[in-house]
Amino acid sequence: MTSNQDSEKLHIAIAGAGIAGLTAAITLLKHPLIEISIYEKATELKEIGASIALGPNGLRTLERLGLHDAISDEVAFRGPSNLPMIYRHWKTNEIVGNDSHENVTEYLHQTARYHRGHLHSALAKHVPSEIIHLRKQIVDVEVDPSQGVTLKFQDGSIVTADLLLGADGLHSGVRQSFVPNFELKWSGWTAFRATFDASLVESIPDLPEDSIHWWGPTNSFFSSRLGKNSFTTVGSVFGDPEDPKVLYRDVSWDEDASLQAFREIFKDWNPVVRRLTELTPNVRFYPNYSCSTYLDTWVFGDRVTLIGDAAHAHGGAHATGGSLAIDDAYTLSLALNSVFPVTSTHKPSSEEISKALRLYETIRKPHAERLLKVVHRGNNARIQKLRSGRVEPDEELRARAAKGSSTNWLHEHDVVKAFEEAVVRSRGDEVVLEAVSARL
């Protein structure tokens, strides 16, 4: 397969047809002189996973893109309390804390929860099927900063593009092409996850209407309604990742898990949690992996960049992976439009492409790394507690839950404001440089 590029158009190759890649295609295709080709290694277009949440930031971005069918109550669930999360005690079931929105006035911007496949399908409807190429596993990428990018696939085919966007997730082939020593690290956290029809649990007495996170001294449990009358249960267990005998060390993503083990873990919890485990029809494993270090750069050869988990694999902490990827994609489009406005008559120069990619990185990389620092600090604290053998006293658990997650800086991040501020700063730097040059 080769690409037939219009010399006046900017041809962008996107690796990965998940939420990150589809959102990038949707926003970039709004430019009349951008052509998109998506290369997906899977044999069919579907999303693997269970539930996913979008915070106000991701929902606002999808609304800006006109994707109302991807944020409506037809596909997503919003709890009646308008609280993004409620924390309950593992044993007594009493409410011990909650998170709340700070600056969310529109109903459709309230935290929403989906079956991952439903959100993926809602986005896929807005991407022309003919630009998505399946069974395309990238094995090598070559960059010529002055000319473009060459992609080589496992099936022997080769394509070229002006720009490559790595949206190929946690185990990104694009990232690996440029950072071969990059490593993902298991945090010791493994989730038993399930999604199923909500009718299976409607008979449970006192089943909360809202999304609930029950906190225990060592493990945790989450349940929520999802859009399209779906429901999810998630049981999280934590171990020392350096312990060679720790449970679930060798399980794989989306692997069948034991219902008996799932139920045994939570057998002494409150009646609602116990009944939820009893009525959950099946579970699958989702081990938690994240990057152990930060990438030095997200831009390679001035023609390649990364978005979503490919750029900042944070392990799904704070249920923010989907919104981060969506905002990455939108920021990249804003950066490209800043050097390549929709009124352009020809594609941008190599220097303009480089400038756009660097602007994108300047805006998004520090934001993602702030989250990664929180993740690494939390993982390390949990591991140290496990190694100490100390069981968290009940009063400490309650105090911890009462504080909430303190992540509105993340979930309510204003991506447009961040972009505008970065542009102002970059223009100021250019003015300073021009003044210095004039004095030399």
Side-chain angles (χ1 to χ4, degrees), residues 91-217:
K91 192 69 171 178
T92 68
N93 198 31
E94 62 191 298
I95 294 174
V96 289
N98 65 261
D99 293 335
S100 59
H101 294 122
E102 286 183 4
N103 187 29
V104 179
T105 57
E106 298 292 331
Y107 171 74
L108 288 177
H109 299 166
Q110 296 173 16
T111 297
R113 290 184 165 81
Y114 305 74
H115 186 296
R116 184 178 285 268
H118 296 160
L119 175 59
H120 187 262
S121 295
L123 296 174
K125 289 191 298 185
H126 295 271
V127 178
S129 60
E130 63 269 19
I131 71 171
I132 302 175
H133 309 283
L134 301 175
R135 301 179 179 86
K136 289 296 175 182
Q137 172 75 55
I138 293 175
V139 295
D140 190 33
V141 180
E142 296 178 358
V143 181
D144 181 339
S146 65
Q147 297 295 321
V149 186
T150 300
L151 287 73
K152 298 180 180 180
F153 299 98
Q154 195 172 55
D155 63 5
S157 60
I158 299 174
V159 299
T160 59
D162 296 306
L163 175 63
L164 171 61
L165 177 55
D168 48 346
L170 196 65
H171 301 283
S172 170
V174 174
R175 183 187 62 220
Q176 207 66 22
S177 294
F178 296 96
V179 193
N181 61 344
F182 182 88
E183 291 184 352
L184 295 170
K185 187 175 182 179
W186 180 49
S187 68
W189 166 19
T190 301
F192 291 76
R193 303 187 67 164
T195 53
F196 47 88
D197 194 277
S199 63
L200 294 181
V201 296
E202 294 296 353
S203 63
I204 298 177
D206 302 319
L207 180 67
E209 288 290 324
D210 283 287
S211 303
I212 302 296
H213 196 172
W214 285 271
W215 282 11

Side-chain angles (χ1 to χ4, degrees), residues 18 48 59 86 95 103 131 152 164 169 178 193 219 233 242 249 254 273 297 302 313 344 361 369 380 417 427:
I48 294 176
L59 294 165
I86 296 174
I95 294 174
N103 187 29
I131 71 171
K152 298 180 180 180
L164 171 61
F178 296 96
R193 303 187 67 164
N219 301 324
T233 53
E242 302 301 324
R249 163 181 289 281
D254 200 42
V273 169
T297 182
D302 289 333
S344 298
E361 180 186 55
E369 289 179 354
N380 290 335
K417 181 181 178 182
R427 288 173 178 168

Side-chain angles (χ1 to χ4, degrees), residues 75 82 87 89 126 145-146 149 180 229 256 273 293 312 326 348 379 402 405 417:
V75 69
N82 186 25
Y87 303 105
H89 191 276
H126 295 271
S146 65
V149 186
N229 201 41
D256 280 328
V273 169
T293 58
H312 42 73
I326 289 166
N379 287 344
S405 67
K417 181 181 178 182

Side-chain angles (χ1 to χ4, degrees), residues 32-50:
L33 290 187
I34 288 181
E35 291 182 335
I36 299 291
S37 296
I38 302 177
Y39 301 100
E40 168 58 51
K41 64 183 178 182
T43 58
E44 57 181 314
L45 187 63
K46 68 175 185 178
E47 186 74 1
I48 294 176

Side-chain angles (χ1 to χ4, degrees), residues 114-371:
Y114 305 74
H115 186 296
R116 184 178 285 268
H118 296 160
L119 175 59
H120 187 262
S121 295
L123 296 174
K125 289 191 298 185
H126 295 271
V127 178
S129 60
E130 63 269 19
I131 71 171
I132 302 175
H133 309 283
L134 301 175
R135 301 179 179 86
K136 289 296 175 182
Q137 172 75 55
I138 293 175
V139 295
D140 190 33
V141 180
E142 296 178 358
V143 181
D144 181 339
S146 65
Q147 297 295 321
V149 186
T150 300
L151 287 73
K152 298 180 180 180
F153 299 98
Q154 195 172 55
D155 63 5
S157 60
I158 299 174
V159 299
T160 59
D162 296 306
L163 175 63
L164 171 61
L165 177 55
D168 48 346
L170 196 65
H171 301 283
S172 170
V174 174
R175 183 187 62 220
Q176 207 66 22
S177 294
F178 296 96
V179 193
N181 61 344
F182 182 88
E183 291 184 352
L184 295 170
K185 187 175 182 179
W186 180 49
S187 68
W189 166 19
T190 301
F192 291 76
R193 303 187 67 164
T195 53
F196 47 88
D197 194 277
S199 63
L200 294 181
V201 296
E202 294 296 353
S203 63
I204 298 177
D206 302 319
L207 180 67
E209 288 290 324
D210 283 287
S211 303
I212 302 296
H213 196 172
W214 285 271
W215 282 11
T218 55
N219 301 324
S220 69
F221 193 90
F222 171 79
S223 81
S224 179
R225 289 169 171 79
L226 309 173
K228 292 184 177 289
N229 201 41
S230 295
F231 199 91
T232 187
T233 53
V234 183
S236 294
V237 297
F238 303 93
D240 182 349
E242 302 301 324
D243 181 353
K245 297 180 181 179
V246 71
L247 287 174
Y248 313 122
R249 163 181 289 281
D250 298 319
V251 301
S252 301
W253 184 266
D254 200 42
E255 176 184 329
D256 280 328
S258 165
L259 268 175
Q260 181 180 352
F262 174 62
R263 291 164 181 165
E264 181 69 18
I265 291 166
F266 300 100
K267 67 178 182 179
D268 295 325
W269 288 45
N270 67 77
V272 173
V273 169
R274 286 203 309 271
R275 192 64 179 137
L276 282 167
T277 66
E278 291 165 359
L279 293 176
T280 295
N282 53 71
V283 284
R284 304 184 76 81
F285 282 126
Y286 291 89
N288 179 272
Y289 284 88
S290 60
C291 56
S292 55
T293 58
Y294 311 133
L295 289 170
D296 292 334
T297 182
W298 292 4
V299 179
F300 307 98
D302 289 333
R303 292 280 183 164
V304 180
T305 194
L306 306 172
I307 67 171
D309 280 344
H312 42 73
H314 71 288
H318 305 297
T320 192
S323 290
L324 279 175
I326 289 166
D327 279 356
D328 285 349
Y330 191 62
T331 302
L332 179 64
S333 72
L334 292 176
L336 281 170
N337 286 346
S338 71
V339 301
F340 181 40
V342 294
T343 55
S344 298
T345 57
H346 55 83
K347 65 185 178 184
S349 66
S350 300
E351 292 75 17
E352 288 170 331
I353 292 173
S354 175
K355 181 179 179 180
L357 297 186
R358 297 297 174 184
L359 177 60
Y360 159 70
E361 180 186 55
T362 297
I363 297 167
R364 296 299 292 170
K365 192 169 184 284
H367 182 66
E369 289 179 354
R370 180 180 176 185
L371 170 61

